[in-house]
Structures are given as structure tokens and as C-alpha cells.
Amino acid sequence: MDEVEWVKTIVAPSIEKRLWNAFVKYAGEHGRSSDITKQKASGRTYYHVHIGANGYHLFFSIPYGKRIKMGIYTYNVDTYNRLKESKDQIEAEFGESLNWEYSKPTGTTRSIVVEEKADDFNPAEQPKIFDWIIDHFDRITLALSMAGEHLSLSGESSGTRFEIRKRYWTYALVQIHEAHDNLGSFSNVNPSTDNWINGFIGIGGFYLCCVANFDSARTEVVFGRAEKSENKAAFDALYQHKDEIETKLGTELQWNRGDDIKSSKVFIQIDIVGIENERNWPQMAKFHADWSKKFYDVIVPYIAAA
């Protein structure tokens, strides 16, 4: 090896850093640079995500390049015990079981994890792995919030995106409540500091979801039960009526079965809007109000009848 080749070998990014660089780029291209990928990529086997939580943060790791793992890393036993008191609710909202006994009981820190086999360093497999990370991030932050945990996904304080989200939902929920006749799905929903709010549809584990990002808005029907097979079966039953549903709604929808994850969803999205620009709020609020009601009126009856 000559001197030039030796230098290139020394300074070349590690295979781990190349993977996390690819993830940061992928997440950024999908509008997630403000929450999941705030931290720069490193050459370690793990990637930390701080979510403004009290006593813990999230992490993703690639042990030996053969698995993909998500964990809640608690800084002390009291925080771990607080979360464990909500174990059943967190797992029900998350949609799958977590390993609460992953860490040795002798230490002060604890990790609560879920993992799957994955060929991490295979570039062809990485988009699927990155989707797994994004999906699990969204579902665990939803589950923690639903269990009463106060999160700031942007890691910012009042007057920033964290506060903007709450102000937007305060504004939008007026129209959403009116669209649903101040009853039903969103009647007990309050303004959130997250980028989503959920409405119930009277069917356990399935719900409506309104999402407000900084570059888009989305309305979803989510199949999020703990059993993957139940979500896929419900999605498949609904998909049989795809043409009828889209005809009634007058537009095509996005149908995401999520073969490699637990949940499935059907959604509609508008782009080139965002909650940082208050001039977009009337359009976004009307979109969330109109489409959550249309989904409830048109799609939910098919799910209930299945």
C-alpha cells in the first residue's frame, strides 16, 4: 500500500458512519431533520435522539450489523420505574411488546428495547431499515405522549417549533371539533406540542391521525394494534374496497400496508404547507377538519363492517 492509499484508509469514514450519514440524508429528504436527525452522524454503532423527555432519550443501534434496535435509555432507576408503571399503556399504543428486562439490574441506568434482524450494511436494505427507524420513532413518541410523558420532539423551548405546534393545534382543533359536530373522534383531544393528534373511531387499536409537519400536512387512518397480523388483515379487508372508497372521496389515497412493520395506514397528504407559516394555517386546519371527517364517514364504516 503506498502513502496515498494509506492516508485514504486512515481518513475514510467507518462503515457505521456511512450508514448513519445515509440515514441522516434519507430522513432529511423525508422532512424529518427537525426531530429524528438533529444529531450529526458518528462512527459509533448507535445514534442518539433527544426528545426533550424527563430523564431519558431514545437511541437506535446496529449491533454487529445484523440487527436494528430501538431503545429508551433512562438515566436512573426512578425514571425507569415511572415508565414501567405505564408499561401496558405504552405497549398498547406502541403496537408491540418491549423488552423491559434488557439491562442488568445492578446498574443505575436502564434500557427498554425492541429489535429485529437486519442486514444493516447492505445498501439495498437500508431504505427499509431507515423506514423502520422512522416508524418506530413515531410510534414510541406517540405511545409515550399518550401515557402522559411530556416530550419536545424538536428539542426546542417555548417560542420555537415546540410552542408553534401547540398554537397550531389550538387553532385547528376549533375547526376539527366543528367538523365532527363537537362530538365523536376528537371531542376529548386538547392542543398538543407534538406534530400529530389522534381521534378515536370506536374500534380498539385503530384511529384517525392528523399530522402537521413543517413542510406538509397529512390525515391518516391508522391500524395500530399490538398484533401485526390483525393490522394487516384489517388493511387487506379495507383495500378490497379501494376503488369504491376513492370514488366516494373523489380522489386517490396513499395505501401503506407496511409489510415490514407492525402498523398499516391509509392517508392523504398536501405538500408545500407548514405550521411555521401562519398564513398556511387556514388551509391546513380546513384540510385536517374536512379529511378527518370524510375518513370517519366513508372509511370507518368499512372497517367496522369487516
Side-chain angles (χ1 to χ4, degrees), residues 173 176-177 180 183-189 197-199 208 210 292:
L173 274 167
I176 294 171
H177 287 155
H180 291 264
L183 300 171
S185 293
F186 293 87
S187 58
N188 294 318
V189 177
I197 55 171
N198 286 339
L208 298 173
C210 295
S292 62

Side-chain angles (χ1 to χ4, degrees), residues 145-161:
S145 295
M146 295 291 280
E149 291 293 308
H150 185 74
L151 309 181
S152 173
L153 301 187
S154 67
E156 297 170 330
S157 58
S158 61
T160 63
R161 296 182 179 188

Side-chain angles (χ1 to χ4, degrees), residues 211-224:
V211 182
N213 289 322
F214 291 88
D215 58 359
S216 64
R218 194 165 65 248
T219 303
E220 306 172 337
V221 177
V222 181
F223 302 90

Side-chain angles (χ1 to χ4, degrees), residues 225-295:
R225 287 182 176 167
E227 292 296 326
K228 178 179 179 179
S229 59
E230 294 180 13
N231 298 327
K232 305 315 168 192
F235 178 91
D236 291 343
L238 185 67
Y239 192 80
Q240 293 180 16
H241 303 282
K242 175 180 182 293
D243 291 342
E244 302 167 41
I245 290 169
E246 292 181 341
T247 297
K248 289 180 180 180
L249 293 173
T251 189
E252 293 183 354
L253 304 176
Q254 299 294 317
W255 297 76
N256 186 351
R257 191 174 190 271
D259 292 335
D260 300 310
I261 59 178
K262 294 282 185 181
S263 62
S264 302
K265 65 178 63 174
V266 183
F267 66 93
I268 187 168
Q269 177 169 311
I270 54 172
D271 298 313
I272 321 178
V273 294
I275 58 174
E276 282 184 312
N277 186 349
E278 292 192 26
R279 289 178 296 180
N280 293 160
W281 287 11
Q283 180 184 359
M284 294 173 65
K286 186 176 188 304
F287 170 82
H288 283 136
D290 289 351
W291 282 99
S292 62
K293 186 62 165 66
K294 288 178 181 179
F295 279 7

